Amino acid sequence: MPDEKRKVRISRFLSMVLRHQPDSVGLTLDEAGWADVDELIAACAARGRRFSRAELDHVVATNDKKRFAYSGDGRRIRASQGHSVPVRLGLEAAEPPDTLYHGTASATLPLILAEGLKPMSRQDVHLSADVETAVRVGSRHGRPVVLAVDARGLAAEGHVFRISANGVWLTDRVPPRWLRRHPTG
């Protein structure tokens, strides 16, 4: 099994390839974001990023955010969400809980409160079911702020929610009237 630093490097590289730049290794994702595992390993090795199937299995199994998933037969892999390349994950609409959370950096708060949450370079806005996850997400970009999203009200207005394989809630956007600052952030 890879050491922790190698595991993180492989995971970050896979995120880049499977979410944003499959063409950087000469890979093409299908419309649902899947890539053939053997082709992925070979394409990465051809670009100087070598890892074994056992290392890939370890990264997929131990990733704390469950960023990647294998197909049922284990022959294909994809990112669970977060794509900037066009994919259709085939996620069914789901009834959200009353409140979901979004973690961000304090520097972005004024713009978000004025314009709402937008997918930016991704296909969807990402929301968390718990405050702790939102704090971790917000911490990646500076001093974290947590926003509570009135998901029930947003859904009643017609916004569709889906939940990814790793528990991230997805929706197209969140207008500012459905946001409030959570006391934690």
Coordinates of all heavy atoms in Angstrom, one line a residue, residues 11-30 33-35 40 67-68 77-87 89 119-124 126 140-141:
S11 N -4.4 10.6 -5.2 CA -5.8 11.1 -5.1 C -6.0 12.5 -5.7 O -7.0 12.7 -6.5 CB -6.2 11.2 -3.6 OG -7.5 11.6 -3.5
R12 N -5.1 13.4 -5.5 CA -5.2 14.7 -6.1 C -5.1 14.6 -7.6 O -5.8 15.3 -8.3 CB -4.1 15.6 -5.5 CG -4.4 16.1 -4.1 CD -3.4 17.1 -3.6 NE -3.8 17.5 -2.3 CZ -3.0 18.0 -1.4 NH1 -1.7 18.3 -1.7 NH2 -3.4 18.4 -0.2
F13 N -4.1 13.8 -8.1 CA -4.0 13.6 -9.5 C -5.2 13.0 -10.1 O -5.7 13.5 -11.2 CB -2.8 12.8 -9.8 CG -2.5 12.7 -11.3 CD1 -2.0 13.8 -12.0 CD2 -2.7 11.5 -12.0 CE1 -1.7 13.7 -13.3 CE2 -2.4 11.4 -13.3 CZ -1.9 12.5 -14.0
L14 N -5.8 12.0 -9.5 CA -7.0 11.4 -10.0 C -8.2 12.4 -10.0 O -9.0 12.4 -10.9 CB -7.4 10.2 -9.1 CG -6.6 9.0 -9.3 CD1 -7.0 7.9 -8.3 CD2 -6.7 8.4 -10.7
S15 N -8.3 13.3 -9.0 CA -9.3 14.3 -9.0 C -9.2 15.2 -10.2 O -10.2 15.5 -10.8 CB -9.2 15.1 -7.7 OG -9.7 14.4 -6.6
M16 N -8.0 15.6 -10.5 CA -7.7 16.5 -11.6 C -8.1 15.8 -12.9 O -8.9 16.4 -13.7 CB -6.3 16.9 -11.7 CG -5.9 18.0 -12.7 SD -5.3 17.3 -14.3 CE -3.9 16.4 -13.9
V17 N -7.7 14.5 -13.1 CA -8.0 13.8 -14.3 C -9.5 13.5 -14.4 O -10.1 13.7 -15.5 CB -7.1 12.5 -14.4 CG1 -7.6 11.6 -15.5 CG2 -5.7 12.9 -14.6
L18 N -10.1 12.9 -13.4 CA -11.4 12.4 -13.5 C -12.5 13.5 -13.3 O -13.7 13.3 -13.7 CB -11.7 11.3 -12.5 CG -10.8 10.0 -12.7 CD1 -11.0 9.0 -11.6 CD2 -11.2 9.4 -14.0
R19 N -12.1 14.7 -12.8 CA -13.1 15.7 -12.7 C -13.0 16.9 -13.7 O -13.9 17.4 -14.1 CB -13.0 16.4 -11.3 CG -13.4 15.6 -10.1 CD -13.1 16.3 -8.9 NE -14.0 16.0 -7.8 CZ -13.9 16.5 -6.6 NH1 -12.9 17.4 -6.3 NH2 -14.7 16.2 -5.6
H20 N -11.7 17.1 -14.0 CA -11.4 18.4 -14.8 C -10.7 18.2 -16.1 O -11.0 18.9 -17.0 CB -10.7 19.4 -13.9 CG -11.3 19.6 -12.5 ND1 -12.5 20.1 -12.4 CD2 -10.8 19.3 -11.3 CE1 -12.8 20.1 -11.1 NE2 -11.8 19.6 -10.4
Q21 N -9.7 17.4 -16.1 CA -8.8 17.3 -17.3 C -8.5 15.9 -17.7 O -7.3 15.5 -17.7 CB -7.5 18.1 -17.0 CG -7.7 19.6 -16.7 CD -6.5 20.3 -16.3 OE1 -5.4 19.7 -16.3 NE2 -6.6 21.5 -16.0
P22 N -9.4 15.1 -18.1 CA -9.1 13.8 -18.6 C -8.2 13.8 -19.8 O -7.3 12.9 -20.0 CB -10.5 13.1 -18.9 CG -11.4 14.3 -19.1 CD -10.9 15.4 -18.2
D23 N -8.3 14.8 -20.6 CA -7.5 14.9 -21.8 C -6.0 15.2 -21.5 O -5.1 15.0 -22.3 CB -8.0 16.0 -22.7 CG -8.1 17.4 -22.1 OD1 -8.4 17.4 -20.8 OD2 -8.0 18.4 -22.7
S24 N -5.7 15.6 -20.2 CA -4.3 15.8 -19.9 C -3.5 14.6 -19.9 O -2.3 14.6 -20.0 CB -4.2 16.5 -18.5 OG -4.6 15.6 -17.5
V25 N -4.2 13.4 -19.8 CA -3.5 12.1 -19.9 C -3.9 11.3 -21.1 O -3.6 10.2 -21.3 CB -3.6 11.3 -18.6 CG1 -3.0 11.9 -17.4 CG2 -5.1 10.9 -18.4
G26 N -4.7 12.0 -22.0 CA -5.2 11.4 -23.2 C -6.4 10.4 -23.0 O -6.6 9.5 -23.7
L27 N -7.1 10.7 -21.9 CA -8.3 9.9 -21.6 C -9.6 10.6 -22.0 O -9.7 11.8 -22.0 CB -8.2 9.7 -20.0 CG -9.1 8.6 -19.4 CD1 -8.6 7.2 -19.9 CD2 -9.0 8.7 -17.9
T28 N -10.6 9.8 -22.3 CA -11.9 10.3 -22.6 C -12.9 9.6 -21.6 O -12.9 8.4 -21.5 CB -12.3 10.0 -24.1 OG1 -11.4 10.6 -24.9 CG2 -13.7 10.5 -24.4
L29 N -13.7 10.4 -20.9 CA -14.7 9.9 -20.1 C -16.0 9.7 -20.9 O -16.2 10.4 -21.8 CB -15.0 10.9 -18.9 CG -13.9 11.4 -18.1 CD1 -14.3 12.4 -17.1 CD2 -13.1 10.3 -17.4
D30 N -16.8 8.7 -20.5 CA -18.0 8.5 -21.2 C -19.0 9.6 -20.6 O -18.7 10.4 -19.7 CB -18.6 7.1 -21.1 CG -19.1 6.7 -19.7 OD1 -19.3 7.6 -18.8 OD2 -19.4 5.5 -19.5
G33 N -19.3 10.0 -17.0 CA -18.0 10.3 -16.2 C -17.1 9.1 -16.0 O -16.1 9.2 -15.3
W34 N -17.5 7.9 -16.5 CA -16.7 6.7 -16.3 C -15.5 6.6 -17.2 O -15.6 7.0 -18.3 CB -17.6 5.5 -16.5 CG -18.7 5.3 -15.5 CD1 -20.0 5.5 -15.8 CD2 -18.6 4.9 -14.2 NE1 -20.8 5.2 -14.7 CE2 -19.9 4.8 -13.7 CE3 -17.6 4.5 -13.3 CZ2 -20.2 4.4 -12.4 CZ3 -17.8 4.1 -12.0 CH2 -19.2 4.1 -11.6
A35 N -14.4 6.0 -16.6 CA -13.2 5.7 -17.4 C -12.9 4.3 -17.1 O -13.1 3.8 -16.0 CB -12.1 6.6 -17.0
L40 N -7.1 4.1 -17.7 CA -6.6 5.1 -16.8 C -5.2 4.9 -16.3 O -4.4 5.8 -16.4 CB -7.6 5.3 -15.6 CG -7.1 6.2 -14.5 CD1 -7.2 7.6 -15.0 CD2 -8.0 6.0 -13.3
R67 N -14.2 10.3 -2.8 CA -14.3 11.0 -4.0 C -14.5 10.2 -5.3 O -14.9 10.7 -6.3 CB -13.0 11.9 -4.2 CG -12.9 13.0 -3.3 CD -11.8 13.9 -3.7 NE -11.8 15.2 -3.0 CZ -11.0 15.5 -2.0 NH1 -10.1 14.7 -1.6 NH2 -11.2 16.7 -1.4
F68 N -14.1 8.9 -5.2 CA -14.1 8.1 -6.4 C -15.0 6.8 -6.1 O -15.1 6.4 -5.0 CB -12.7 7.6 -6.8 CG -11.7 8.8 -6.7 CD1 -10.8 8.9 -5.7 CD2 -11.7 9.7 -7.7 CE1 -9.9 10.0 -5.6 CE2 -10.9 10.8 -7.7 CZ -9.9 10.9 -6.6
I77 N -14.1 3.5 -13.4 CA -14.0 4.4 -12.2 C -14.4 5.8 -12.6 O -14.4 6.1 -13.8 CB -12.5 4.4 -11.7 CG1 -12.4 5.2 -10.4 CG2 -11.6 4.9 -12.8 CD1 -11.0 5.1 -9.8
R78 N -15.0 6.5 -11.6 CA -15.3 7.9 -11.9 C -15.2 8.7 -10.6 O -15.2 8.1 -9.5 CB -16.7 8.0 -12.5 CG -17.9 7.8 -11.6 CD -19.2 8.0 -12.3 NE -20.3 7.8 -11.4 CZ -21.6 7.8 -11.8 NH1 -21.9 8.2 -13.1 NH2 -22.5 7.6 -11.0
A79 N -15.2 10.0 -10.7 CA -15.3 10.9 -9.6 C -16.8 10.9 -9.2 O -17.7 10.9 -10.0 CB -14.8 12.3 -9.9
S80 N -17.0 11.0 -7.9 CA -18.4 11.0 -7.4 C -19.2 12.2 -7.7 O -20.4 12.2 -7.9 CB -18.4 10.7 -5.9 OG -17.9 9.4 -5.6
Q81 N -18.5 13.4 -7.7 CA -19.1 14.6 -8.1 C -17.9 15.7 -8.2 O -16.8 15.3 -8.1 CB -20.1 15.1 -7.1 CG -19.7 16.0 -5.9 CD -18.8 15.2 -4.9 OE1 -19.2 14.1 -4.6 NE2 -17.8 15.9 -4.4
G82 N -18.3 16.9 -8.6 CA -17.3 18.0 -8.6 C -16.7 18.2 -10.0 O -15.7 18.9 -10.2
H83 N -17.3 17.7 -11.0 CA -16.8 17.8 -12.4 C -16.9 19.2 -12.9 O -17.9 19.9 -12.8 CB -17.6 16.8 -13.3 CG -17.4 15.4 -12.9 ND1 -18.2 14.8 -12.0 CD2 -16.6 14.4 -13.4 CE1 -17.9 13.6 -11.9 NE2 -16.9 13.3 -12.7
S84 N -15.9 19.6 -13.7 CA -16.0 20.8 -14.5 C -16.2 20.4 -15.9 O -16.6 21.3 -16.7 CB -14.8 21.7 -14.3 OG -13.6 21.1 -14.7
V85 N -15.9 19.2 -16.3 CA -16.2 18.7 -17.6 C -17.6 18.2 -17.6 O -18.1 17.7 -16.6 CB -15.2 17.6 -18.1 CG1 -13.8 18.1 -18.2 CG2 -15.3 16.4 -17.2
P86 N -18.3 18.3 -18.8 CA -19.7 17.9 -18.8 C -19.9 16.4 -18.6 O -19.4 15.6 -19.4 CB -20.2 18.4 -20.1 CG -19.0 18.7 -21.0 CD -17.9 18.9 -20.0
V87 N -20.6 16.0 -17.6 CA -21.0 14.6 -17.4 C -22.4 14.6 -16.8 O -22.9 15.6 -16.2 CB -20.0 13.8 -16.4 CG1 -18.6 13.8 -17.0 CG2 -20.0 14.5 -15.0
L89 N -24.2 12.3 -14.2 CA -24.0 11.2 -13.2 C -25.2 10.3 -13.1 O -25.0 9.2 -12.5 CB -23.6 11.8 -11.9 CG -22.3 12.6 -11.8 CD1 -22.0 13.3 -10.5 CD2 -21.1 11.7 -12.2
P119 N -22.6 27.4 -9.2 CA -21.7 26.3 -9.4 C -20.3 26.7 -9.8 O -19.4 25.9 -9.6 CB -22.3 25.5 -10.5 CG -23.3 26.3 -11.1 CD -23.7 27.4 -10.2
M120 N -20.1 28.0 -10.2 CA -18.8 28.5 -10.7 C -18.3 27.5 -11.8 O -18.9 27.3 -12.7 CB -17.9 28.6 -9.5 CG -18.4 29.5 -8.3 SD -19.0 31.1 -8.9 CE -17.5 32.0 -9.1
S121 N -17.1 27.0 -11.6 CA -16.5 26.1 -12.6 C -17.1 24.7 -12.6 O -16.7 23.9 -13.5 CB -15.0 26.1 -12.5 OG -14.6 25.5 -11.3
R122 N -17.8 24.4 -11.6 CA -18.4 23.0 -11.5 C -19.8 23.0 -12.1 O -20.3 24.0 -12.5 CB -18.5 22.6 -10.1 CG -17.1 22.4 -9.4 CD -17.2 22.0 -8.0 NE -15.9 21.7 -7.5 CZ -15.7 21.4 -6.2 NH1 -16.7 21.3 -5.4 NH2 -14.4 21.2 -5.8
Q123 N -20.4 21.8 -12.2 CA -21.7 21.7 -12.8 C -22.8 22.0 -11.8 O -23.9 22.3 -12.1 CB -21.9 20.3 -13.3 CG -21.0 20.1 -14.5 CD -21.3 18.7 -15.2 OE1 -21.6 17.8 -14.5 NE2 -21.2 18.7 -16.5
D124 N -22.5 21.8 -10.5 CA -23.5 22.0 -9.4 C -22.9 22.7 -8.2 O -21.7 22.7 -8.0 CB -24.0 20.6 -8.9 CG -24.7 19.8 -10.0 OD1 -25.8 20.1 -10.4 OD2 -24.1 18.8 -10.4
H126 N -22.4 22.5 -4.3 CA -22.2 21.4 -3.4 C -22.6 21.8 -2.0 O -22.2 22.8 -1.5 CB -20.7 21.0 -3.4 CG -20.2 20.4 -4.7 ND1 -19.0 19.7 -4.8 CD2 -20.8 20.3 -5.9 CE1 -18.9 19.3 -6.0 NE2 -19.9 19.7 -6.7
R140 N -10.5 25.1 3.6 CA -9.6 24.9 2.6 C -9.2 26.3 1.9 O -8.3 26.4 1.1 CB -10.1 24.0 1.5 CG -10.2 22.6 2.0 CD -10.6 21.6 0.9 NE -11.8 22.0 0.2 CZ -12.6 21.2 -0.4 NH1 -12.5 19.9 -0.3 NH2 -13.7 21.7 -1.0
H141 N -10.1 27.3 2.1 CA -9.9 28.5 1.3 C -9.7 29.7 2.2 O -9.7 30.9 1.7 CB -11.2 28.8 0.4 CG -11.5 27.6 -0.4 ND1 -10.8 27.2 -1.5 CD2 -12.5 26.7 -0.3 CE1 -11.3 26.1 -2.0 NE2 -12.3 25.8 -1.4

